[in-house]
Structure formats: C-alpha cells, structure tokens
Amino acid sequence: RAVFGRTSAPTARQLEMASSRSLGVLVEDGKVTVVAPDHPGLLSLVAGTLALHRLSIRSAVAMDGGCGMAIEVFGVSRPTGDRVDARRLRLDLEQALDGRLLLEARLATLESAYARRRRAAAGSPSQVRVIVDDTASAQATVIEVRAPDSHGLLHRLTRILAEAGLDVISARVSTIGHEVVDAFYVRDGVSGQPPDAEALRELEPLLVAGALARP
C-alpha cells in the first residue's frame, strides 16, 4: 500500500497572495508559487506553462487558499541553469488561464525534442505503476502514479484527470532519481464526493499511456 503524507498548510505570504483573488506569481531560487482562482484543470494548465518555459518540475504541492483560490508551489530546475523570466512566465500564465495560449501545440513541439533524446538514451523499457487508494482520505480518493521522469509529465497526467471530470484538491509530486512519484487527491468535479475507486481503475491505462507519451 502506498503511504501518503499530509497536505501542507499555506504560509502567511501565500494566504496574503490569495486574498487578492487574482493571479499571483512568485519566482524564487528553485521555486515558483502560483496563486490563482481555482477551477478544474488549473494544475494541468500551470504545469504545462512551466514545462513550456523548459522548467523541470522536481516537486509540487497544491493547496486550498480559501475564497475559491488555489495555491500551487513548484520546486523547479532548468538543465541550462539560467534564470526564469518571471515577467514572461506571468504573461504566459495569464494567457493560459484565459485560453489564449496555444499550450498543447507549443508543448508538442518542445516535447518532441525531449522525446528524441529520451529514446536515444533509453536502455530498458519504461515502467509505470498506478495505485488507487480510497482509504487514505475521507474527503478524496488518492491516485498515485510512479513513472520515469519526462518533460511535461505532470501536465499530461493532470490533463487526463481533468478530462475525466475529476477535481484535484491536493497534489504531491516528488522526484526520486529518474522516477517521479505523483500523488493526486481527487474528487468528482460535479458531486464533490470521492469518486468510486473501481471506476478510477478504468483510468489506469490512460494514465500509463500519458506517462509514456512520446510526441
């Protein structure tokens, strides 16, 4: 059985950002904090925009900021080591949240280059494990995905969850070597109740395919 940690509590600074009830972006060394009005698919949009900026997501925590706001904190790195353009990132996030950013098309072009490098470096078949746990939380069902690290992985997985009508109320992402462990606390986007674990197992092949996607 998978073991899941408790969700983190927002800091005073994060709650202050959330109190504005508008998009807030804070870029620090190795960390990006995004505060935005909560809605289904938000985590996927933000993760995709970070991937578009060639940021590798090493860790992520999604939290409730109150007043309909979500707080998402990402530990990030860049292979090139150069700094994040905070102004450009904020503009792209604004456009992504408004539906004006051609996110999928631009990511497909970017990820194809990463995919070619992964295929060239691959020495053994990749494996993905999906674990569904409906006992870890009374408010949500937990979906854990263990997969080889790849650019845009968090975006692809959370997009699949959003398209299935699931609301990610909390998420934890961690990187262990070349493997990523993503734990998503999900509820039904309509009823707000924990979805049936048996029904969620139908998502397993979609999540596996998404984790192994090669543009």
Side-chain angles (χ1 to χ4, degrees):
R1 179 178 298 277
V3 178
F4 303 101
R6 295 181 179 179
T7 57
S8 300
T11 66
R13 187 175 189 182
Q14 291 166 351
L15 290 174
E16 182 181 1
M17 292 173 64
S19 67
S20 69
R21 302 194 182 186
S22 60
L23 175 64
V25 181
L26 179 61
V27 178
E28 301 170 299
D29 288 339
K31 185 169 72 173
V32 175
T33 300
V34 177
V35 178
D38 198 8
H39 64 81
L42 175 63
L43 181 58
S44 180
L45 287 174
V46 175
T49 306
L50 294 179
L52 190 63
H53 281 249
R54 294 178 171 81
L55 292 170
S56 296
I57 298 175
R58 318 309 299 176
S59 64
V61 178
M63 298 170 283
D64 181 8
C67 302
M69 300 294 290
I71 299 171
E72 298 175 353
V73 183
F74 302 85
V76 299
S77 63
R78 255 185 173 173
T80 56
D82 53 334
R83 297 178 63 85
V84 179
D85 186 336
R87 177 181 171 277
R88 183 69 255 174
L89 176 61
R90 182 186 178 90
L91 289 174
D92 281 347
L93 283 168
E94 289 176 350
Q95 292 184 5
L97 297 181
D98 290 342
R100 294 181 287 118
L101 184 67
L102 298 177
L103 185 58
E104 300 303 329
R106 291 175 62 180
L107 276 176
T109 300
L110 177 63
E111 290 177 15
S112 63
Y114 283 87
R116 286 193 296 271
R117 287 198 290 270
R118 287 197 301 269
R119 285 193 292 267
S124 60
S126 300
Q127 293 186 346
V128 178
R129 286 173 289 166
V130 179
I131 302 170
V132 177
D133 190 341
D134 59 356
T135 65
S137 170
Q139 291 77 38
T141 298
V142 182
I143 301 176
E144 183 185 89
V145 181
R146 293 174 176 258
D149 194 9
S150 63
H151 197 71
L153 175 63
L154 181 60
H155 167 67
R156 296 194 301 274
L157 296 180
T158 49
R159 183 182 63 193
I160 291 169
L161 297 177
E163 290 174 349
L166 299 176
D167 184 18
V168 179
I169 62 171
S170 183
R172 283 190 170 276
V173 176
S174 58
T175 304
I176 304 172
H178 296 291
E179 184 181 57
V180 174
V181 181
D182 293 352
F184 305 104
Y185 289 68
V186 300
R187 291 191 302 213
D188 184 272
V190 176
S191 69
Q193 298 299 312
D196 180 69
E198 191 62 36
L200 285 182
R201 289 191 176 90
E202 298 179 2
L203 276 178
E204 291 184 21
L206 297 178
L207 291 168
V208 171
L212 297 177
R214 297 292 186 266

